[in-house]
């Protein structure tokens, strides 16, 4: 980021997918990365190249690892209207999310204050099972909750992109982001945004 009167830093938004599947265990920035799909492998490679370049040139580089990004325009309302299925509880995965505005704010703070070569998890405070996330959006929007299916049916009925998100489970800590960048999230929980966006009356989306 280049601004008059501010130091220059390079900020790369990566993905928490670089941690791979952890069977619901907690991870932080000290957890060894082991990306399990090509998309996350490419992001992990980009992280390594940027950090190596920063060390070689002295350029300040910061890495932000974000999970699923949501906003008013990025809620699964259409998916809910189409009654597309999600995994049943015993097959479900858990992860954090982040609102687009919170991610943008952290990017600005990192561009101003991050130490050289620092990596930050940019996630909210509440890891949620994926089906529960869809349930909360459905309830707020006044739509039926999605049907549940087992993983075997999901292999046949769910598209490859969504299925890849349903194949990795982890809970992600954000202590470093809060401590070093002094971040105060506008939406520490998905529910905080849904209450503001939909209000007392369910919206049509």
């Amino acid at each position: 980021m280049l601004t008059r009167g501010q130091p220059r830093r390079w900020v790369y938004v990566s993905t928490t997918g670089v941690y791979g599947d952890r069977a619901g265990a907690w991870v932080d920035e000290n957890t060894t990365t082991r990306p399990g799909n090509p998309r996350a492998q490419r992001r992990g490679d980009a992280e390594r190249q940027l950090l190596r370049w920063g060390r070689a040139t002295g350029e300040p580089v910061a890495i932000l690892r974000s999970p699923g990004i949501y906003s008013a325009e990025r809620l699964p309302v259409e998916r809910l209207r189409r009654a597309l299925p999600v995994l049943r509880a015993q097959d479900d995965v858990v992860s954090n999310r982040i609102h687009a505005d919170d991610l943008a704010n952290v990017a600005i703070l990192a561009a101003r204050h991050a130490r050289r070569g620092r990596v930050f998890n940019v996630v909210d405070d509440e890891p949620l099972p994926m089906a529960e996330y869809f349930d909360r959006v459905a309830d707020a929007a006044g739509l039926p909750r999605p049907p549940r299916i087992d993983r075997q049916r999901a292999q046949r009925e769910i598209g490859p992109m969504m299925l890849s998100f349903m194949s990795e489970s982890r809970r992600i800590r954000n202590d470093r982001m809060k401590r070093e960048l002094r971040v105060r999230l506008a939406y520490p929980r998905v529910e905080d945004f849904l209450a503001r966006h939909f209000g007392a009356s369910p919206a049509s989306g």
Side-chain angles (χ1 to χ4, degrees), residues 117-136:
R118 208 60 168 150
V119 176
F120 299 92
N121 292 332
V122 184
V123 304
D124 64 10
D125 292 344
E126 186 179 31
L128 281 178
M130 184 173 287
E132 185 173 342
Y133 167 68
F134 281 98
D135 283 351
R136 291 191 184 187

Side-chain angles (χ1 to χ4, degrees), residues 17-28:
V18 297
Y19 295 116
D21 180 35
R22 300 291 169 148
W26 285 97
V27 300
D28 62 19

Side-chain angles (χ1 to χ4, degrees), residues 84-134:
L84 297 178
V86 294
L87 291 172
R88 62 184 183 174
Q90 55 266 53
D91 292 321
D92 206 0
V93 297
V94 62
S95 185
N96 298 68
R97 286 154 191 85
I98 191 70
H99 190 278
D101 290 349
D102 279 323
L103 176 57
N105 181 53
V106 176
I108 292 169
L109 292 172
R112 291 175 176 168
H113 306 299
R115 290 158 46 192
R116 292 173 182 267
R118 208 60 168 150
V119 176
F120 299 92
N121 292 332
V122 184
V123 304
D124 64 10
D125 292 344
E126 186 179 31
L128 281 178
M130 184 173 287
E132 185 173 342
Y133 167 68
F134 281 98

Side-chain angles (χ1 to χ4, degrees), residues 72 75-85 134 137-138 140-147 197-198 202-205:
L75 292 174
V77 173
E78 183 57 32
R79 182 182 179 86
L80 291 166
R81 288 188 177 128
R82 294 168 60 194
L84 297 178
F134 281 98
V137 176
L143 295 168
R145 292 183 172 189
H197 178 61
F198 290 106
S204 60

Side-chain angles (χ1 to χ4, degrees), residues 133-164:
Y133 167 68
F134 281 98
D135 283 351
R136 291 191 184 187
V137 176
D139 292 349
L143 295 168
R145 292 183 172 189
R148 266 55 167 178
I149 60 175
D150 61 29
R151 188 167 289 279
Q152 186 174 6
R153 277 188 60 191
Q155 298 287 340
R156 302 190 303 268
E157 299 181 22
I158 294 177
M161 178 64 76
M162 179 58 69
L163 196 59
S164 72

